[in-house]
């Protein structure tokens, strides 16, 4: 069996440490979260281009994150909402299906609406989930 044969078709990533990354560089924690979006784009692109990855799971907001300062939670929610809108054209172009797991109903209504729209508009995409 070659290493290519063992290449995973499903990759899962726990997104952690963006705030600490920023603080370690003397930046506000929020800048780390923004940089995290760039990392997500890179991972999605690399996974899609590999043609071997059919599923990519990103664990992005744990229940413990609700205990963060309200300002930081609000910024994270705005980033997620914007991500859904900004990345939808790329998902459509590359036939990427966006789905969610977890307790989405706890998210603010505007964020849920953006997520629902992205889920609905990518439901028929089949190249990668």
């Amino acid at each position: 069996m070659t290493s290519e044969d063992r290449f995973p078709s499903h990759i899962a990533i726990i997104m952690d440490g963006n705030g600490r990354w920023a603080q370690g560089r003397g930046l506000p924690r929020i800048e780390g979260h923004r940089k995290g979006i760039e990392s997500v784009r890179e991972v999605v692109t690399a996974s899609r281009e590999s043609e071997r990855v059919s599923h990519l799971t990103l664990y992005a907001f744990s229940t413990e994150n609700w205990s963060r300062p309200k300002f930081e939670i609000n910024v994270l929610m705005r980033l997620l909402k914007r991500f859904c809108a900004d990345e939808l054209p790329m998902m459509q172009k590359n036939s990427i299906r966006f789905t969610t797991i977890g307790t989405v109903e706890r998210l603010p209504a505007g964020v849920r609406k953006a997520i629902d729209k992205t889920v609905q508009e990518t439901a028929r995409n089949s190249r990668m989930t």
Side-chain angles (χ1 to χ4, degrees):
M1 184 183 297
T2 69
S3 61
E4 263 187 47
D5 295 330
R6 292 187 302 249
F7 195 87
S9 62
H10 186 168
I11 296 174
I13 298 171
I14 298 172
M15 297 171 56
D16 187 38
N18 292 324
R20 288 187 301 279
W21 176 89
Q23 286 180 307
R25 286 161 177 73
L27 301 169
R29 289 180 58 82
I30 302 311
E31 290 306 313
H33 299 309
R34 287 189 181 110
K35 189 72 168 174
I37 290 174
E38 292 177 30
S39 296
V40 168
R41 283 187 191 111
E42 291 173 13
V43 167
V44 170
T45 299
S47 297
R48 177 183 39 79
E49 288 175 352
S50 78
E51 297 187 10
R52 292 172 105 23
V53 178
S54 61
H55 290 79
L56 174 64
T57 300
L58 302 173
Y59 186 72
F61 193 84
S62 72
T63 55
E64 291 83 12
N65 290 149
W66 289 112
S67 64
R68 292 177 181 217
K70 189 171 179 72
F71 170 77
E72 187 173 359
I73 292 170
N74 289 339
V75 170
L76 288 168
M77 294 299 123
R78 283 194 306 271
L79 289 171
L80 176 55
K81 185 176 175 181
R82 186 169 10 131
F83 177 85
C84 287
D86 291 350
E87 300 302 318
L88 181 57
M90 180 277 300
M91 289 184 239
Q92 294 292 54
K93 177 182 175 188
N94 293 289
S95 193
I96 297 172
R97 183 169 61 125
F98 181 86
T99 63
T100 61
I101 53 177
T103 317
V104 178
E105 61 273 6
R106 284 191 69 186
L107 301 175
V111 175
R112 287 194 319 268
K113 184 177 178 181
I115 288 172
D116 289 345
K117 178 182 180 188
T118 306
V119 167
Q120 289 173 8
E121 292 195 20
T122 64
R124 291 190 177 96
N125 293 349
S126 59
R127 188 168 172 201
M128 187 175 84
T129 299

